[in-house]
Amino acid sequence: MKRKIGSQNVLYPMPVTIVAMLVNGKVNFLNVAHVGILNARAPHFISLGMGKRHYSNIGIRENKTFSVNILSQDQMVEADYVGLVTGSTTDKSQVFETFFGELKTAPIIQNCPVSMECRLHDTYELETHDVFIGEIVATYVDDAVLVDGKIDLSKVKPLLFDISSMKYWSLGQPAGDCWKEGKQYKKS
Ligand SMILES: Cc1cc2nc3c(=O)[nH]c(=O)nc-3n(C[C@H](O)[C@H](O)[C@H](O)COP(=O)(O)O)c2cc1C
């Protein structure tokens, strides 16, 4: 039997991202798991659901730039830390080494497998959250996770987030081929 459990968002696991921006001229980071892909072709847009009280939102509004970084499992402690403390009272600027790319005001994490440099495209205001929509202007990938020019997830080892268990999860093995497995379907 399938049980009704009310109106809960169960769209998990989500990839953990570390979003980086400048706030009042200083680098700040926060952990954002509520991210979304809005389209699959360039220009690429992604969304971030960020609580209005976060210090980071000030910087994204101010500079209209930010980066979205995917960390490996071995960076879990740092990833969790920037999601535990606020930049309004704690200087998080030294937690990760950063560099600046095309947009000049979006700090990008140096020592992580994958980063996307974004320009703020739009902001959708919910009662409790700002939904920042960013256009990806450049993507940076560590050579060590590229195989034949493509990102190999088994090398990235991304952190996944589940709100139900309140745990970080890791990827398992590939389950099948997209746009291929369905060809085996037989009407029963
Ligand atoms: C695993 C994890 C996932 C999180 N996901 C989000 C999220 O999707 N949206 C959000 O607004 N806050 C999220 N947070 C909370 C913020 O990262 C956290 O409140 C952070 O300290 C805010 O930093 P700031 O005040 O410097 O901006 C998450 C925290 C953790 C640990």
Side-chain angles (χ1 to χ4, degrees), residues 16 21 28-35 49-57 79-88 90 92 129 161 168:
V16 168
M21 75 301 299
N28 193 52
F29 308 99
L30 87 163
N31 191 322
V32 179
H34 295 157
V35 291
M50 291 175 43
K52 278 185 184 291
R53 70 183 185 287
H54 295 327
Y55 184 65
S56 302
N57 300 29
D80 199 55
Y81 176 72
V82 299
L84 275 172
V85 299
T86 175
S88 65
T90 306
K92 297 188 260 185
H129 280 66
F161 169 69
Y168 292 106

